Amino acid sequence: MATAALRSQVAAKWHEGFNRLNRSEPGISGLLSFSQAWNIATDYLHPRDISDPTSVKQHDLASVKAAFDLINRSRRLPVMLETFLDDICNQYHLIVRDIEQYLAEYEQSLDTSVMLRLIFRLVEWYRAWAPIEELGPTIRAAYTLTFQTQLFSTVPPGFVRGFKALCASTLVPVAQHTPQMWEAFEVLGLTDRYEGIIASVGYERIEDHVRETCTGKLCHGCSPMYAKGAANTEEARGLLQNVGSRFDFHMNKTLCDLRTSEIFDIIIDFPDSNGALQDLKECLQRVDQRASLVQALRKAYVFLVLPFLNFPPRDYRISNRKRLLHPGADTKLILSQYVATIKCLRIVDPPGVLLFKVADPIRRYLRERPDTIRSIVANLVGDDDSGDSLVDENEPIQPLQQLETEDYNDPHWDPEPIDAGPDFRTNKPSDVISTLVSIYDSKDLFVKELQVLLAQRLLAITDDNFEKVEKERRNIEILKIRFGEAALQVCEVMLKDMTDSKRIDGHVQSQKASIVHPTIISRHFWPSLESSDIVMPGQFQALQTEYAKEFSTFKPDKKLRWLPHLGTVHLELQLEDRTIETDVPPLEAAFIELFSEKSESTLVPHIWTMDELIEGVGAVDRIAALKALITWIDLGVLKEDEENTFRLLEVKEEAAPPSRIAPAAIDAPTVTAAQQQQADQMRLYWKFIEGMLTNLGSLPLDRIQTMLRFAPGYDQTVEQLAGFMEAARREGLVVGRDGMWKLNR
Amino acid sequence: MARLPANILERLLNLRFSQSTNCKRRLIRDFKRLSTDPPGGISGSPCPDNIMLWNAVIFGPAETPFEDGTFKLVLTFDESYPNKPPTVKFLSRMFHPNVYANGELCLDILQNRWSPTYDVAAILTSIQSLLHDPNPNSPANAEAAQLYRENMKEYVRRVKATVEESWLDPDDKLEGCGRGAGWRRGPILSLWSSLVCLSSYVIM
Amino acid sequence: MKVTVKHWHAVAQWRWDTGASESEGNDENEDVCGICRVPYEGCCPSCKMPGDDCPLIWGECTHVFHMHCLLKWIGTPASKQQCPMDRRTWVTAERKVGNS
C-alpha cells in the first residue's frame, strides 16, 4: 500500500528524472529528443558482428556525437555504458566463434601466421567495438577492461600454446609485422597477461639460440651477435622493459654455462677460441659463475692428467675426452695446455685469481714430472724437434719475473679480488716463460738443465754442421735476456770451447793432418758428462796420442784428456766379401778394432768372448757392451754363436741371426694365429709408442710398458714388448742405446 | 750436524749474494769449506744480511785453561780480501797475553805475515792454537803475559773466569748482526745457537 | 778384416800441464789456486773465460796460481813480493810462460 508520502516521493523522482531527460524543453520534446539520441547512441555502440557486412551501418558522426552529448547532459551516460558493456558480453560469442575458428585452423596447420591473423582479427574486433574517443578515457578504459576480461575468460587453452609459438616465431631474424604484432598484443592486453609466457619464450629462445649458434663456435664470440639481436627487437624490448634485464641476465648465464662446459675445447683451440673467451669474460662480469668455471677447469685437467696417475683406465675410457688421453700424452702437451690455460684465463680474469686456483694443482703436478724442465728448456731454446713452440713468437722477450710481494706503493694497485684465497699470489701479467719457470721455485734449476741440454746439442755438432754453433749462440743471447748474463756464463764458455776447438783443430790439421777432430771442452764448465773408463784400443789410441802430442806442441802449457765414450767414429770395414761404412759410437769402434786386431794376428779364430772384449777396452758395463755388439750383429758383421761368444763374419752369412733381445718374443707360444694376432695388436700400439717417443725423446723399456698398460686392452708382457721394439728397430723405426729407446729420425 | 750437499749450499749462497765481487766469491768458498769440512773446535758463518761480516766461535782447546770456553769473535772483511787479512776481534772478554782489552788480537798472520792463501778456517784455526800457545814476547795484555810467565796458577784462575763468563755472553756486544740473541748459557746452547746461525743461511 | 777410421769426432778436456804426473782417474783431488781457491782449469774471480784468457803462473818455487790472482797479490805492498805459499821471493819460472 503506497502511502501518500511514498507516492509524492516517487512523483518527485519521476519529475526529477523527467526534467533531467526533458531538460526543461517544452512539453516532452526534450524527452523525445533524448529518446532519439539514446537510440542513435546505442545503435552506434552496439557490438556488431564484423564478419557480417550487412550489420555494418554508416553513422553520421556529427549526429552520434550530438547524441552522446545529449545523453551526457542528461547524465544517462553511466547507464548507457552499462548497457554497452552488457552488450559486449552478450555479443562476445561472435569473437569466441572467430577465435575457435582460427585456433582450429592453427592447430591443424601449426602455422603461426594463423595465430597472427587471429591476433589482428581480435584487434579488429576490439577496434570495431571501441567507443569513440570523445567519450573520454574512463569509458574507454572500462571498455578495454571488459573486452580483455571477456577475452581472457573465454580463450581456450590452445590459444596460449599458439600464442607462445607466435611469440617464438617472431624471434626468427627479420620477422615481419613484429612491431604491429607487439602493438596488437599491447592493445589486447596480452603482454601483461602473458608476460610469463613471453619471458619463457625469450629464455628458451636465448638458450636455444646460444646453444645453436654458439656451441663449438669458439672463434667468434657470441656476445656481439646478441647485442645486434637486441637492437633489432628494440621496439619490442621497449614494451618489455622490466623483462629486458632478466633476458640480459639469462642470456649471460646461458652463454656462460655453455662456455664453461666448453672450456676444455676453448683451451685446446686457443688462440682461435678468442671470441669464446671474450664471451666468458663479459658474462662472468655479469653473472657469478666463477666458481663453476674453476670447477670445470679442474675437471678438464683431471682428464688431462689422468693417464699419468694411477687411475683405473676404465675411468677415462668411458669419458669421451678423446684427446690427450692416450698414454703418449706427454709433458710437452700438458705444458702447452697449461700455457694455453694461462693465456685463456689471463683474458678472462686479468687479476689471475682463477689462474691461481686452477694452475696451482697443475703446477704441483708438473713439478713432479722429471721431464718438465727439459721440456721447457727445449722449448726455450726454440727449434725443438717436435711441434709448436710454447712461446708466442710475438711475445717480447723480457727478463724473468721473479715472484714479488705486493707493492702497495704501486699507484695501480688493486685489492685482491674477493674470491682470492689466503695463499693467492698476485701473478702480474708476465710472459709465458716466466710463468713456466715459476713452476719451480728457482731459475737455477732451469739454468742447470739448460746447460745439460746445450752440452748435448753442442757435442752432437761436427765439422759438417758447424753453423749450428752460431744458432746455439743466438739462442743463448736470447736466453740471456731472460735469465741474465751471469746465469749463462757457463754456456758462453761452452760456446767458446766450440769455436776454440775448431780453431785449434784447424791449426793441428795444418801441422799434421789427422782424421781426429776433437771438441775440446773446458773442465768445470760443462755439465758432468757421464764418465767412462774405456781405453780405446789399437789405432784409436795411436790416433789419440798423436793428436794430443800435436795439441801440446801448439799449446805447450796444456794437455788433452780424452773422454773416449763421447763422440762418433766414421768407419770403413773391409771384409772378405764386402765393405761396410758406418757411423758408430766409440765403444762400437773399439770392439770392432779388437776383432780386426785378432784377425790380423791369429788369422783363424775371429772369436771374442764378452769378457775378453770388455777387458780389451778397460772397463765397461755389460749392458753397454752388449748394446755395442748388437749394433755389429745387426749390421751382419758379428754373430753370436753361443751366448757371450762373438764371431766376425768375414763372409756374409744369410739369414740375419736374431738379436739378443729378440728371442724372448720368439720363444713365446708359437701358434701362428696367436702370433699374428699379437703382431696386429702391437701394430695398433705402435701409434702409442710412437707418440710417447715423439714426445718424450727416449724411454727405457719398462717405462714404455708402464705407459702402454694404460692403453685399453693392452696385455703384452714386457718381454713381448721387448721383442716388438727389437723388431721395430730392425725395421729402422727406432734405435736403442744404453737401454733407452728412441725414434729413428 | 747434518750437512747439506755442497752444491746446494753454494747455490743458496750464490742466490743470496748474487752480486758477487771477487772477495765475496772467495768468502762463499770459505764458507763452503768451513761448512762441509769444518776443523774441530771452531765454527763460523757470515751474517745473514752481510757476507762481509762473520761471526765465529772458538771452543777452548782441551787441556788448556780455555777448555770449555765458547769464545765469540767477529771478523770484518773488506773488498781487498784475500789480499788483505780481515779485522778479527773477540767479542767475549779474553784474558790472554796476545789479546788486547778491546778484543783485538796480536797475531802475526793477521798482520805482517798474512798470505792470501789463508781462509776463514785457517784464521780461526790459528787463533785456536794461539789460545793453546800464547806468545808472551809480544804482549797485548801485559798482565796476562806476566801472570803467564810468573804465576801460572793465577793465570789459569783468571782465564777460567773468562771461560765461565763466555757462557753468559751478553747480546749487546754483537753489533751489526741480527743473530745475536742466541748466545747464552753454556757451551751446548752456544754451540746450538751457532748452528742456528749457520743453518739460517741454508734455509734462506 | 781391415778397419779404416775415416773420421773421428772425439771429445777431450784440456788440462793445464802443471808438471805434476797425472794419475789418471784421480779427478777428485783437483788442484785449486791457493789464492782464489778456484780450480786451475776454472778461471780466477776476475775472469769469465777459462784457459788462455786466464792462464796459470809458475813460480821457481814450483807453486802455481792463476796468473791474475798472483799478480794482484804481488801488487800489494803487504806481499813483499813473496810467494803466498812459502814466503820466498816470487820468481816466475821460465818453464811454461812465454815459450808458446
Side-chain angles (χ1 to χ4, degrees), chain A residues 459 515 517 519 521 524 539 555 557-559 561 563 568 570 572 574 650, chain C residues 1-4 6-15 17 22 27 30 52:
Chain A
L459 288 183
I515 46 88
H517 301 274
T519 298
I521 66 173
H524 309 297
Q539 56 174 319
K555 300 270 176 192
D557 47 358
K558 288 183 190 160
K559 55 192 177 184
R561 182 166 172 187
L563 302 171
T568 38
H570 186 79
E572 187 189 76
Q574 282 168 293
E650 274 288 5
Chain C
M1 177 182 63
K2 188 174 186 305
V3 174
T4 316
K6 296 273 194 174
H7 186 279
W8 183 6
H9 173 226
V11 180
Q13 278 174 350
W14 62 266
R15 298 284 173 92
D17 187 357
E22 189 181 322
D27 258 8
E30 55 185 350
D52 296 346

mmCIF file of all heavy atoms in Angstrom, chain A residues 459 515 517 519 521 524 539 555 557-559 561 563 568 570 572 574 650, chain C residues 1-4 6-15 17 22 27 30 52:
data_model
loop_
_atom_site.group_PDB
_atom_site.id
_atom_site.type_symbol
_atom_site.label_atom_id
_atom_site.label_comp_id
_atom_site.label_asym_id
_atom_site.label_seq_id
_atom_site.Cartn_x
_atom_site.Cartn_y
_atom_site.Cartn_z
ATOM 1 N N LEU A 459 127.729 -31.139 -28.378
ATOM 2 C CA LEU A 459 128.605 -32.288 -28.632
ATOM 3 C C LEU A 459 128.161 -33.066 -29.862
ATOM 4 O O LEU A 459 128.936 -33.836 -30.427
ATOM 5 C CB LEU A 459 128.657 -33.205 -27.406
ATOM 6 C CG LEU A 459 129.450 -32.631 -26.227
ATOM 7 C CD1 LEU A 459 129.502 -33.632 -25.102
ATOM 8 C CD2 LEU A 459 130.852 -32.230 -26.660
ATOM 9 N N ILE A 515 142.689 -37.675 -38.849
ATOM 10 C CA ILE A 515 141.258 -37.884 -39.043
ATOM 11 C C ILE A 515 140.497 -37.633 -37.742
ATOM 12 O O ILE A 515 139.286 -37.703 -37.702
ATOM 13 C CB ILE A 515 140.954 -39.291 -39.604
ATOM 14 C CG1 ILE A 515 141.733 -40.351 -38.841
ATOM 15 C CG2 ILE A 515 141.254 -39.386 -41.075
ATOM 16 C CD1 ILE A 515 141.052 -40.868 -37.667
ATOM 17 N N HIS A 517 139.050 -35.200 -35.095
ATOM 18 C CA HIS A 517 138.642 -33.796 -34.985
ATOM 19 C C HIS A 517 137.930 -33.619 -33.651
ATOM 20 O O HIS A 517 136.714 -33.750 -33.575
ATOM 21 C CB HIS A 517 137.719 -33.415 -36.145
ATOM 22 C CG HIS A 517 138.358 -33.613 -37.471
ATOM 23 N ND1 HIS A 517 139.154 -32.663 -38.060
ATOM 24 C CD2 HIS A 517 138.340 -34.666 -38.321
ATOM 25 C CE1 HIS A 517 139.590 -33.123 -39.230
ATOM 26 N NE2 HIS A 517 139.115 -34.341 -39.408
ATOM 27 N N THR A 519 136.361 -32.141 -30.159
ATOM 28 C CA THR A 519 135.798 -30.979 -29.481
ATOM 29 C C THR A 519 136.492 -30.927 -28.123
ATOM 30 O O THR A 519 136.417 -31.889 -27.358
ATOM 31 C CB THR A 519 134.285 -31.141 -29.286
ATOM 32 O OG1 THR A 519 133.669 -31.230 -30.569
ATOM 33 C CG2 THR A 519 133.697 -29.960 -28.523
ATOM 34 N N ILE A 521 136.847 -29.458 -24.588
ATOM 35 C CA ILE A 521 135.967 -28.737 -23.670
ATOM 36 C C ILE A 521 136.689 -28.337 -22.393
ATOM 37 O O ILE A 521 137.692 -28.939 -22.013
ATOM 38 C CB ILE A 521 134.711 -29.582 -23.344
ATOM 39 C CG1 ILE A 521 135.082 -30.834 -22.570
ATOM 40 C CG2 ILE A 521 133.966 -29.951 -24.610
ATOM 41 C CD1 ILE A 521 133.883 -31.617 -22.084
ATOM 42 N N HIS A 524 134.884 -28.265 -15.703
ATOM 43 C CA HIS A 524 134.140 -27.424 -14.752
ATOM 44 C C HIS A 524 133.069 -26.578 -15.406
ATOM 45 O O HIS A 524 132.255 -25.984 -14.734
ATOM 46 C CB HIS A 524 135.045 -26.459 -13.967
ATOM 47 C CG HIS A 524 136.203 -27.119 -13.333
ATOM 48 N ND1 HIS A 524 136.042 -28.076 -12.366
ATOM 49 C CD2 HIS A 524 137.533 -26.975 -13.524
ATOM 50 C CE1 HIS A 524 137.247 -28.500 -11.990
ATOM 51 N NE2 HIS A 524 138.165 -27.852 -12.677
ATOM 52 N N GLN A 539 144.629 -48.708 -33.160
ATOM 53 C CA GLN A 539 144.891 -47.491 -33.937
ATOM 54 C C GLN A 539 144.220 -46.265 -33.310
ATOM 55 O O GLN A 539 144.685 -45.153 -33.489
ATOM 56 C CB GLN A 539 144.439 -47.673 -35.372
ATOM 57 C CG GLN A 539 142.991 -48.062 -35.522
ATOM 58 C CD GLN A 539 142.582 -48.080 -36.984
ATOM 59 O OE1 GLN A 539 142.953 -47.212 -37.761
ATOM 60 N NE2 GLN A 539 141.831 -49.110 -37.371
ATOM 61 N N LYS A 555 149.863 -25.817 -27.876
ATOM 62 C CA LYS A 555 149.558 -25.202 -26.580
ATOM 63 C C LYS A 555 150.447 -25.867 -25.538
ATOM 64 O O LYS A 555 150.038 -26.817 -24.867
ATOM 65 C CB LYS A 555 148.081 -25.450 -26.221
ATOM 66 C CG LYS A 555 147.095 -24.889 -27.216
ATOM 67 C CD LYS A 555 146.722 -23.481 -26.842
ATOM 68 C CE LYS A 555 145.805 -22.874 -27.882
ATOM 69 N NZ LYS A 555 145.677 -21.420 -27.674
ATOM 70 N N ASP A 557 151.407 -25.312 -22.624
ATOM 71 C CA ASP A 557 151.065 -25.382 -21.211
ATOM 72 C C ASP A 557 149.833 -26.247 -20.960
ATOM 73 O O ASP A 557 149.352 -26.344 -19.855
ATOM 74 C CB ASP A 557 150.852 -23.980 -20.647
ATOM 75 C CG ASP A 557 149.968 -23.136 -21.552
ATOM 76 O OD1 ASP A 557 149.560 -23.649 -22.623
ATOM 77 O OD2 ASP A 557 149.675 -21.987 -21.195
ATOM 78 N N LYS A 558 149.344 -26.855 -22.029
ATOM 79 C CA LYS A 558 148.127 -27.652 -21.849
ATOM 80 C C LYS A 558 148.320 -29.051 -22.376
ATOM 81 O O LYS A 558 149.189 -29.308 -23.204
ATOM 82 C CB LYS A 558 146.958 -27.010 -22.618
ATOM 83 C CG LYS A 558 146.439 -25.741 -22.003
ATOM 84 C CD LYS A 558 145.245 -25.283 -22.821
ATOM 85 C CE LYS A 558 144.784 -23.894 -22.432
ATOM 86 N NZ LYS A 558 143.986 -23.313 -23.508
ATOM 87 N N LYS A 559 147.482 -29.924 -21.886
ATOM 88 C CA LYS A 559 147.448 -31.282 -22.430
ATOM 89 C C LYS A 559 145.998 -31.699 -22.590
ATOM 90 O O LYS A 559 145.099 -31.047 -22.061
ATOM 91 C CB LYS A 559 148.202 -32.234 -21.507
ATOM 92 C CG LYS A 559 147.690 -32.193 -20.088
ATOM 93 C CD LYS A 559 148.645 -32.914 -19.160
ATOM 94 C CE LYS A 559 148.149 -32.806 -17.719
ATOM 95 N NZ LYS A 559 149.058 -33.384 -16.764
ATOM 96 N N ARG A 561 142.948 -34.488 -22.292
ATOM 97 C CA ARG A 561 142.497 -35.706 -21.635
ATOM 98 C C ARG A 561 141.233 -36.163 -22.361
ATOM 99 O O ARG A 561 140.235 -35.447 -22.404
ATOM 100 C CB ARG A 561 142.186 -35.403 -20.180
ATOM 101 C CG ARG A 561 141.780 -36.648 -19.511
ATOM 102 C CD ARG A 561 141.768 -36.530 -18.051
ATOM 103 N NE ARG A 561 141.168 -37.758 -17.560
ATOM 104 C CZ ARG A 561 140.873 -37.958 -16.319
ATOM 105 N NH1 ARG A 561 141.121 -37.038 -15.430
ATOM 106 N NH2 ARG A 561 140.331 -39.093 -15.950
ATOM 107 N N LEU A 563 137.892 -38.019 -23.546
ATOM 108 C CA LEU A 563 136.660 -38.581 -22.981
ATOM 109 C C LEU A 563 136.176 -39.610 -23.996
ATOM 110 O O LEU A 563 135.350 -39.314 -24.849
ATOM 111 C CB LEU A 563 135.617 -37.486 -22.757
ATOM 112 C CG LEU A 563 136.087 -36.350 -21.838
ATOM 113 C CD1 LEU A 563 135.096 -35.196 -21.847
ATOM 114 C CD2 LEU A 563 136.293 -36.851 -20.422
ATOM 115 N N THR A 568 131.607 -39.631 -32.143
ATOM 116 C CA THR A 568 131.235 -40.672 -33.111
ATOM 117 C C THR A 568 132.413 -40.949 -34.021
ATOM 118 O O THR A 568 133.242 -40.075 -34.273
ATOM 119 C CB THR A 568 130.059 -40.244 -34.019
ATOM 120 O OG1 THR A 568 130.205 -38.864 -34.323
ATOM 121 C CG2 THR A 568 128.730 -40.516 -33.397
ATOM 122 N N HIS A 570 133.489 -42.513 -37.762
ATOM 123 C CA HIS A 570 133.054 -42.989 -39.072
ATOM 124 C C HIS A 570 134.066 -44.025 -39.547
ATOM 125 O O HIS A 570 135.242 -43.722 -39.719
ATOM 126 C CB HIS A 570 132.961 -41.826 -40.063
ATOM 127 C CG HIS A 570 132.384 -42.224 -41.374
ATOM 128 N ND1 HIS A 570 131.041 -42.387 -41.559
ATOM 129 C CD2 HIS A 570 132.974 -42.524 -42.554
ATOM 130 C CE1 HIS A 570 130.815 -42.750 -42.807
ATOM 131 N NE2 HIS A 570 131.972 -42.845 -43.440
ATOM 132 N N GLU A 572 135.276 -47.533 -41.915
ATOM 133 C CA GLU A 572 135.083 -48.382 -43.084
ATOM 134 C C GLU A 572 135.638 -49.755 -42.748
ATOM 135 O O GLU A 572 136.793 -49.888 -42.328
ATOM 136 C CB GLU A 572 135.811 -47.813 -44.291
ATOM 137 C CG GLU A 572 135.492 -48.575 -45.561
ATOM 138 C CD GLU A 572 136.387 -48.136 -46.707
ATOM 139 O OE1 GLU A 572 137.562 -48.537 -46.727
ATOM 140 O OE2 GLU A 572 135.903 -47.386 -47.568
ATOM 141 N N GLN A 574 136.601 -53.316 -44.149
ATOM 142 C CA GLN A 574 136.808 -54.099 -45.373
ATOM 143 C C GLN A 574 136.826 -55.563 -44.991
ATOM 144 O O GLN A 574 137.779 -56.053 -44.381
ATOM 145 C CB GLN A 574 138.113 -53.710 -46.048
ATOM 146 C CG GLN A 574 137.982 -52.413 -46.819
ATOM 147 C CD GLN A 574 139.323 -51.902 -47.238
ATOM 148 O OE1 GLN A 574 140.133 -51.512 -46.392
ATOM 149 N NE2 GLN A 574 139.594 -51.922 -48.536
ATOM 150 N N GLU A 650 133.616 -62.740 -41.686
ATOM 151 C CA GLU A 650 134.402 -62.239 -42.826
ATOM 152 C C GLU A 650 133.593 -62.404 -44.106
ATOM 153 O O GLU A 650 133.655 -61.596 -45.003
ATOM 154 C CB GLU A 650 135.724 -63.007 -42.925
ATOM 155 C CG GLU A 650 136.849 -62.440 -42.057
ATOM 156 C CD GLU A 650 137.407 -61.127 -42.566
ATOM 157 O OE1 GLU A 650 136.881 -60.555 -43.550
ATOM 158 O OE2 GLU A 650 138.388 -60.639 -41.965
ATOM 159 N N MET C 1 139.863 -58.779 -41.733
ATOM 160 C CA MET C 1 139.111 -57.515 -41.784
ATOM 161 C C MET C 1 140.055 -56.335 -41.555
ATOM 162 O O MET C 1 140.943 -56.411 -40.719
ATOM 163 C CB MET C 1 138.022 -57.505 -40.710
ATOM 164 C CG MET C 1 137.271 -56.198 -40.674
ATOM 165 S SD MET C 1 136.039 -56.151 -39.383
ATOM 166 C CE MET C 1 137.039 -56.300 -37.918
ATOM 167 N N LYS C 2 139.827 -55.336 -42.312
ATOM 168 C CA LYS C 2 140.618 -54.131 -42.109
ATOM 169 C C LYS C 2 139.676 -52.999 -41.685
ATOM 170 O O LYS C 2 138.664 -52.754 -42.343
ATOM 171 C CB LYS C 2 141.326 -53.750 -43.414
ATOM 172 C CG LYS C 2 142.313 -52.614 -43.251
ATOM 173 C CD LYS C 2 143.072 -52.392 -44.557
ATOM 174 C CE LYS C 2 144.180 -51.366 -44.428
ATOM 175 N NZ LYS C 2 143.740 -50.084 -43.908
ATOM 176 N N VAL C 3 140.013 -52.395 -40.574
ATOM 177 C CA VAL C 3 139.188 -51.290 -40.088
ATOM 178 C C VAL C 3 139.884 -49.981 -40.422
ATOM 179 O O VAL C 3 141.029 -49.760 -40.011
ATOM 180 C CB VAL C 3 138.950 -51.397 -38.572
ATOM 181 C CG1 VAL C 3 138.208 -50.166 -38.071
ATOM 182 C CG2 VAL C 3 138.185 -52.661 -38.232
ATOM 183 N N THR C 4 139.227 -49.150 -41.188
ATOM 184 C CA THR C 4 139.800 -47.849 -41.516
ATOM 185 C C THR C 4 138.956 -46.763 -40.858
ATOM 186 O O THR C 4 137.736 -46.734 -41.030
ATOM 187 C CB THR C 4 139.805 -47.625 -43.041
ATOM 188 O OG1 THR C 4 140.254 -48.829 -43.662
ATOM 189 C CG2 THR C 4 140.693 -46.467 -43.424
ATOM 190 N N LYS C 6 137.718 -43.299 -40.901
ATOM 191 C CA LYS C 6 137.602 -42.228 -41.889
ATOM 192 C C LYS C 6 137.533 -40.865 -41.224
ATOM 193 O O LYS C 6 138.042 -39.874 -41.731
ATOM 194 C CB LYS C 6 136.320 -42.422 -42.717
ATOM 195 C CG LYS C 6 136.317 -43.685 -43.538
ATOM 196 C CD LYS C 6 136.984 -43.408 -44.864
ATOM 197 C CE LYS C 6 136.678 -44.564 -45.821
ATOM 198 N NZ LYS C 6 137.166 -44.283 -47.163
ATOM 199 N N HIS C 7 136.855 -40.817 -40.119
ATOM 200 C CA HIS C 7 136.651 -39.546 -39.429
ATOM 201 C C HIS C 7 136.283 -39.854 -37.998
ATOM 202 O O HIS C 7 135.496 -40.765 -37.741
ATOM 203 C CB HIS C 7 135.509 -38.768 -40.112
ATOM 204 C CG HIS C 7 135.317 -37.393 -39.554
ATOM 205 N ND1 HIS C 7 134.614 -37.155 -38.406
ATOM 206 C CD2 HIS C 7 135.745 -36.172 -39.990
ATOM 207 C CE1 HIS C 7 134.617 -35.851 -38.136
ATOM 208 N NE2 HIS C 7 135.290 -35.226 -39.083
ATOM 209 N N TRP C 8 136.857 -39.100 -37.093
ATOM 210 C CA TRP C 8 136.560 -39.374 -35.688
ATOM 211 C C TRP C 8 136.247 -38.059 -34.999
ATOM 212 O O TRP C 8 137.119 -37.211 -34.831
ATOM 213 C CB TRP C 8 137.759 -40.080 -35.022
ATOM 214 C CG TRP C 8 137.512 -40.467 -33.594
ATOM 215 C CD1 TRP C 8 136.368 -40.364 -32.889
ATOM 216 C CD2 TRP C 8 138.484 -41.038 -32.707
ATOM 217 N NE1 TRP C 8 136.532 -40.830 -31.621
ATOM 218 C CE2 TRP C 8 137.822 -41.255 -31.474
ATOM 219 C CE3 TRP C 8 139.835 -41.394 -32.838
ATOM 220 C CZ2 TRP C 8 138.475 -41.792 -30.362
ATOM 221 C CZ3 TRP C 8 140.486 -41.930 -31.742
ATOM 222 C CH2 TRP C 8 139.811 -42.137 -30.510
ATOM 223 N N HIS C 9 135.014 -37.903 -34.692
ATOM 224 C CA HIS C 9 134.648 -36.740 -33.882
ATOM 225 C C HIS C 9 134.797 -37.145 -32.424
ATOM 226 O O HIS C 9 133.952 -37.820 -31.868
ATOM 227 C CB HIS C 9 133.209 -36.296 -34.182
ATOM 228 C CG HIS C 9 132.733 -35.218 -33.253
ATOM 229 N ND1 HIS C 9 131.500 -35.243 -32.653
ATOM 230 C CD2 HIS C 9 133.352 -34.100 -32.811
ATOM 231 C CE1 HIS C 9 131.376 -34.183 -31.868
ATOM 232 N NE2 HIS C 9 132.477 -33.476 -31.946
ATOM 233 N N ALA C 10 135.925 -36.752 -31.850
ATOM 234 C CA ALA C 10 136.220 -37.147 -30.479
ATOM 235 C C ALA C 10 135.930 -35.990 -29.535
ATOM 236 O O ALA C 10 135.672 -34.867 -29.958
ATOM 237 C CB ALA C 10 137.677 -37.559 -30.362
ATOM 238 N N VAL C 11 135.937 -36.294 -28.268
ATOM 239 C CA VAL C 11 135.742 -35.256 -27.256
ATOM 240 C C VAL C 11 136.866 -35.373 -26.239
ATOM 241 O O VAL C 11 137.218 -36.479 -25.810
ATOM 242 C CB VAL C 11 134.370 -35.392 -26.566
ATOM 243 C CG1 VAL C 11 134.197 -34.301 -25.525
ATOM 244 C CG2 VAL C 11 133.244 -35.341 -27.587
ATOM 245 N N ALA C 12 137.431 -34.241 -25.882
ATOM 246 C CA ALA C 12 138.522 -34.245 -24.904
ATOM 247 C C ALA C 12 138.404 -33.024 -24.009
ATOM 248 O O ALA C 12 137.745 -32.044 -24.358
ATOM 249 C CB ALA C 12 139.868 -34.239 -25.623
ATOM 250 N N GLN C 13 138.999 -33.132 -22.854
ATOM 251 C CA GLN C 13 139.116 -31.965 -21.981
ATOM 252 C C GLN C 13 140.550 -31.465 -22.059
ATOM 253 O O GLN C 13 141.481 -32.261 -22.169
ATOM 254 C CB GLN C 13 138.844 -32.369 -20.526
ATOM 255 C CG GLN C 13 137.395 -32.443 -20.160
ATOM 256 C CD GLN C 13 137.226 -32.983 -18.749
ATOM 257 O OE1 GLN C 13 138.170 -33.471 -18.131
ATOM 258 N NE2 GLN C 13 136.013 -32.900 -18.245
ATOM 259 N N TRP C 14 140.704 -30.166 -21.970
ATOM 260 C CA TRP C 14 142.075 -29.681 -21.837
ATOM 261 C C TRP C 14 142.411 -29.553 -20.355
ATOM 262 O O TRP C 14 141.523 -29.304 -19.532
ATOM 263 C CB TRP C 14 142.291 -28.362 -22.569
ATOM 264 C CG TRP C 14 141.446 -27.221 -22.065
ATOM 265 C CD1 TRP C 14 140.238 -26.827 -22.550
ATOM 266 C CD2 TRP C 14 141.738 -26.357 -20.970
ATOM 267 N NE1 TRP C 14 139.745 -25.778 -21.838
ATOM 268 C CE2 TRP C 14 140.659 -25.451 -20.858
ATOM 269 C CE3 TRP C 14 142.820 -26.235 -20.093
ATOM 270 C CZ2 TRP C 14 140.612 -24.452 -19.881
ATOM 271 C CZ3 TRP C 14 142.772 -25.230 -19.123
ATOM 272 C CH2 TRP C 14 141.674 -24.359 -19.015
ATOM 273 N N ARG C 15 143.660 -29.762 -20.024
ATOM 274 C CA ARG C 15 144.140 -29.575 -18.650
ATOM 275 C C ARG C 15 145.402 -28.735 -18.719
ATOM 276 O O ARG C 15 146.160 -28.826 -19.684
ATOM 277 C CB ARG C 15 144.506 -30.925 -18.019
ATOM 278 C CG ARG C 15 143.360 -31.888 -17.888
ATOM 279 C CD ARG C 15 142.448 -31.506 -16.742
ATOM 280 N NE ARG C 15 141.256 -32.335 -16.710
ATOM 281 C CZ ARG C 15 141.163 -33.458 -16.007
ATOM 282 N NH1 ARG C 15 142.184 -33.878 -15.302
ATOM 283 N NH2 ARG C 15 140.057 -34.155 -16.013
ATOM 284 N N ASP C 17 149.068 -28.217 -17.985
ATOM 285 C CA ASP C 17 150.164 -29.141 -17.714
ATOM 286 C C ASP C 17 150.967 -28.570 -16.561
ATOM 287 O O ASP C 17 151.863 -27.757 -16.748
ATOM 288 C CB ASP C 17 151.039 -29.295 -18.969
ATOM 289 C CG ASP C 17 152.082 -30.374 -18.785
ATOM 290 O OD1 ASP C 17 152.149 -30.939 -17.667
ATOM 291 O OD2 ASP C 17 152.810 -30.647 -19.744
ATOM 292 N N GLU C 22 150.283 -36.919 -13.802
ATOM 293 C CA GLU C 22 148.840 -37.053 -13.621
ATOM 294 C C GLU C 22 148.469 -38.510 -13.443
ATOM 295 O O GLU C 22 148.705 -39.335 -14.305
ATOM 296 C CB GLU C 22 148.131 -36.493 -14.859
ATOM 297 C CG GLU C 22 146.643 -36.386 -14.666
ATOM 298 C CD GLU C 22 146.001 -35.844 -15.914
ATOM 299 O OE1 GLU C 22 146.598 -34.955 -16.554
ATOM 300 O OE2 GLU C 22 144.899 -36.317 -16.238
ATOM 301 N N ASP C 27 140.409 -37.661 -10.309
ATOM 302 C CA ASP C 27 139.702 -36.414 -10.597
ATOM 303 C C ASP C 27 139.300 -35.660 -9.332
ATOM 304 O O ASP C 27 139.166 -34.452 -9.340
ATOM 305 C CB ASP C 27 138.434 -36.734 -11.391
ATOM 306 C CG ASP C 27 138.645 -36.425 -12.858
ATOM 307 O OD1 ASP C 27 139.803 -36.119 -13.214
ATOM 308 O OD2 ASP C 27 137.683 -36.475 -13.616
ATOM 309 N N GLU C 30 141.307 -32.391 -7.309
ATOM 310 C CA GLU C 30 141.754 -31.467 -8.319
ATOM 311 C C GLU C 30 142.492 -30.313 -7.640
ATOM 312 O O GLU C 30 142.239 -29.972 -6.495
ATOM 313 C CB GLU C 30 140.557 -30.938 -9.085
ATOM 314 C CG GLU C 30 139.526 -30.333 -8.155
ATOM 315 C CD GLU C 30 138.291 -29.923 -8.906
ATOM 316 O OE1 GLU C 30 138.338 -29.950 -10.135
ATOM 317 O OE2 GLU C 30 137.300 -29.572 -8.246
ATOM 318 N N ASP C 52 143.251 -19.855 -22.007
ATOM 319 C CA ASP C 52 144.272 -18.888 -22.405
ATOM 320 C C ASP C 52 143.987 -17.487 -21.871
ATOM 321 O O ASP C 52 144.905 -16.696 -21.673
ATOM 322 C CB ASP C 52 144.386 -18.846 -23.930
ATOM 323 C CG ASP C 52 144.860 -20.190 -24.479
ATOM 324 O OD1 ASP C 52 145.331 -21.009 -23.652
ATOM 325 O OD2 ASP C 52 144.749 -20.417 -25.689
#
